[in-house]
Amino acid sequence: MRPNFFPLVFVGVLLIGLFYLGFNSIWLSDFRCNTPQTNGITKEKPHKDLGLHSLPGLLYKQSSVLNGRADVVCVTPWLAPIVWEGTFDPTLIDSIYKQQNITIATTIFALGKYTRFLKDFLESAEQHFFVGFQVHYYLFTDQPEAVPDIKFGEERQLKVQTVPKMDRWQDITMGRMEMIAKLTESELVNEVDYIFCLDVDTKFYARWSVEALGSLVGVIHPWFFNYPRDQFTYERRPESQAFIPPEEGDFYYAGGAFGGSIQEVHKLTKTCNEQQKIDAAKSIEAIWHDESHLNKYFLYNKPTKALSPEYLWRNINAHSDTIKTIRFCSVEKDVAEVRPNL
Ligand code: GAL
Ligand code: GAL
Ligand code: MN
């Protein structure tokens, strides 16, 4: 008997046909409408949900797992990046953050004679600090009339908050924690995404931008990056809340620059302020004031990103083989002359 293959072939062809139609109309058409690319160049604004909006036609050096900075460590033992010159591609990283509508807040404090640093700080920040991004400077000062008239770039602005005069420089430097905690509690939450808290007796010399962003960011202090931890200038008296024993600690972080998301910086400054208050009630002041409390905080709350001392160098004329670019640097000053008391 000859077997009748006809029904089988018919069903087969029908199935293939349906499958093809279904595939074409559901998958391919969808795919096509979300990929408005011709010859690699995006013609229309593509759909955000597929993430296909990133970096159209952007040319940059190939990423490598074998070649990079070999003279420095670029990741902490808790896997946070350590940012050095040569560890990021500025064009690439800028283009990633350009697609997000982010605003960066910066706090600076200029009380007493520290207003003299404002002009250089602000003018150099306009040249190097988050250029092309929205920046809001929050300046706290006891002399609003001494704020220099600076021309700010588009989408960059200065907000001045008048604060009472303070006599002790130690109170000024520590008082920053409380003022930043208040600022990040309410006003800033809906206004900005990230915040950096910087010393004002400083100047920018090179790019300091989105490569520095992270939820909790510390800067490795320019004096101690090659020291054993028992020689770090942590607070060593157990009576202080900032106490760190000699066998503990990761890095020594600078008090002159730290940052992160508004929420994380709020937690940090609120905690440090509380710890400072506990110390004050016991008539103890940590050796390096807010910087000591910051170091204690970072020991128990590890930064998600650490910035190399390029991000706060000690002296523009000091050189080190590991520092390929000085981005931000303390200004030389006569402390005895500039501080209200010593
Ligand atoms: C500086 C800082 C100033 C002020 C001062 C207090 O390092 O830039 O904003 O806080 O410390 O001494
Ligand atoms: C100094 C710096 C101080 C403080 C100190 C810590 O170089 O000027 O502000 O950070 O290191 O030992
Ligand atoms: Mn300083």
Side-chain angles (χ1 to χ4, degrees), residues 182-250:
K182 280 210 184 100
L183 181 76
T184 49
E185 182 168 47
S186 49
E187 276 173 66
L188 284 196
V189 188
N190 302 316
E191 229 173 272
V192 307
D193 305 282
Y194 295 96
I195 181 167
F196 282 100
C197 309
L198 306 177
D199 267 13
V200 73
D201 52 338
T202 47
K203 200 174 152 181
F204 292 89
Y205 293 89
R207 176 197 166 94
W208 208 117
S209 192
V210 289
E211 72 280 1
L213 294 177
S215 24
L216 187 60
V217 183
V219 178
I220 296 167
H221 195 288
W223 283 103
F224 305 100
F225 61 95
N226 48 3
Y227 276 51
R229 60 182 162 193
D230 62 351
Q231 287 178 39
F232 289 164
T233 54
Y234 290 149
E235 174 55 59
R236 301 301 189 183
R237 291 167 294 174
E239 307 85 78
S240 168
Q241 298 297 309
F243 169 65
I244 299 177
E247 64 283 3
E248 287 185 42
D250 303 302

Side-chain angles (χ1 to χ4, degrees), residues 109-110 114 169-170 172-173 176 198-201 333 339:
F109 292 76
Y114 277 72
W169 68 268
Q170 296 90 336
I172 298 174
T173 187
R176 297 187 291 185
L198 306 177
D199 267 13
V200 73
D201 52 338
K333 61 177 192 284
R339 286 180 176 165

Side-chain angles (χ1 to χ4, degrees), residues 72-87:
V72 289
V73 174
C74 301
V75 64
T76 68
W78 60 94
L79 298 179
I82 306 177
V83 184
W84 300 90
E85 174 75 55
T87 58

Side-chain angles (χ1 to χ4, degrees), residues 176 197-199 219 221 253-258 290-291 294-295 312:
R176 297 187 291 185
C197 309
L198 306 177
D199 267 13
V219 178
H221 195 288
Y253 298 96
F258 62 89
D290 45 316
E291 183 174 271
L294 178 77
N295 272 281
L312 180 52

